[in-house]
Amino acid sequence: MITLDDLFCPSGEIYFAERNSDKRTVCISEVPSGVACDCVCVGCRQPMVAYKGCKNRHHFQHAANAKRECANVGETTLHRVAKDYLAQALSLTIPPKVLREGSIEEVITREVAYSFDKATLERKLGGIVPDVLVWKKDVALVVEFLVTHKCDEEKVLKIKTLGLSAIEIDLSPYRKHSVDELAHVILHEAERDWLHHRFEVDAQARLDDLVRAE
């Protein structure tokens, strides 16, 4: 069983790579051994070798002549796996966003399983590198994942400046769960909160008007 923790390679062993033939992120169990795996590292794009012997746990290693520049391979792998889940389901539960002042409230959105058109990975978007983007027509929602550290204030500020909506999904309670169990966790089960909603400023103005009228 490969767990969420294993994605971050605490033992130095890598369990996912990108297959050249179809650009899919594949598990070590899905490929033949040796260089026949036809894979590259998702972090540094260097060739990988699949080690599938009888004694040690099956894993990928960089080829002997590969230049190793993949300190973030675990985080990148999580993003690739999560993107694949989102791209297949095209549905994601978004949390409620309600502004309140005393007994008065302004509802921006209720909790709902929302449908999207596609999911993508972007290396850079307006000065930030989102974990994953889900799209409805030409509007993107930034999806961030909390495993060890929350999204920092600088990134949140840049998201706000770009006028993007963003949620953060807390995967920290699931570190010992199998990767195969993460799909439902990411899509619907895990705790999630808004980092920013692009309609929040307008909603706050409406709430202020209601408070003044009250």
Side-chain angles (χ1 to χ4, degrees), residues 24-187:
R24 280 189 59 234
T25 305
V26 292
C27 179
I28 184 65
S29 62
E30 299 179 67
V31 298
S33 62
V35 296
C37 68
D38 186 36
C39 290
V40 296
C41 175
V42 300
C44 65
R45 314 293 302 166
Q46 298 297 313
M48 302 293 277
V49 178
Y51 285 82
K52 305 184 73 169
C54 300
K55 293 183 179 180
N56 299 320
R57 190 178 185 185
H58 295 179
H59 64 282
F60 291 102
Q61 285 187 14
H62 291 81
N65 61 346
K67 182 181 178 182
R68 303 181 187 185
E69 298 176 350
C70 52
N72 297 321
V73 61
E75 188 174 0
T76 303
T77 302
L78 171 60
H79 299 165
R80 295 283 293 266
V81 169
K83 189 271 293 183
D84 289 346
Y85 291 151
L86 288 163
Q88 183 175 5
L90 291 179
S91 176
L92 176 69
T93 294
I94 59 173
K97 183 66 175 178
V98 181
L99 304 181
R100 292 185 177 86
E101 186 72 37
S103 61
I104 302 174
E105 66 177 30
E106 179 69 24
V107 178
I108 301 176
T109 182
R110 299 294 188 187
E111 181 178 81
V112 62
Y114 198 82
S115 296
F116 294 90
D117 298 324
K118 63 180 178 179
T120 63
L121 290 175
E122 303 289 341
R123 292 188 178 274
K124 201 164 188 180
L125 180 68
I128 64 169
V129 180
D131 287 358
V132 181
L133 293 174
V134 287
W135 296 81
K136 187 69 172 182
K137 296 183 179 179
D138 59 347
V139 178
L141 171 68
V142 177
V143 182
E144 297 286 317
F145 298 104
L146 165 59
V147 179
T148 55
H149 303 290
K150 292 180 67 67
C151 188
D152 63 75
E153 292 182 5
E154 181 181 358
K155 188 171 187 179
V156 173
L157 180 59
K158 289 181 178 178
I159 289 170
K160 292 180 178 179
T161 302
L162 290 168
L164 295 170
S165 295
I167 63 172
E168 184 173 66
I169 299 177
D170 185 4
L171 298 181
S172 59
Y174 302 92
R175 297 184 62 149
K176 301 303 181 185
H177 283 57
S178 165
V179 171
D180 294 335
E181 300 172 335
L182 288 182
H184 184 73
V185 168
I186 288 171
L187 298 175

Side-chain angles (χ1 to χ4, degrees), residues 13 87 113:
E13 295 179 345

Side-chain angles (χ1 to χ4, degrees), residues 181-201:
E181 300 172 335
L182 288 182
H184 184 73
V185 168
I186 288 171
L187 298 175
H188 306 296
E189 180 181 323
E191 188 75 23
R192 58 207 62 207
D193 294 301
W194 287 98
L195 297 173
H196 178 65
H197 197 293
R198 66 194 185 100
F199 295 147
E200 189 170 342
V201 173

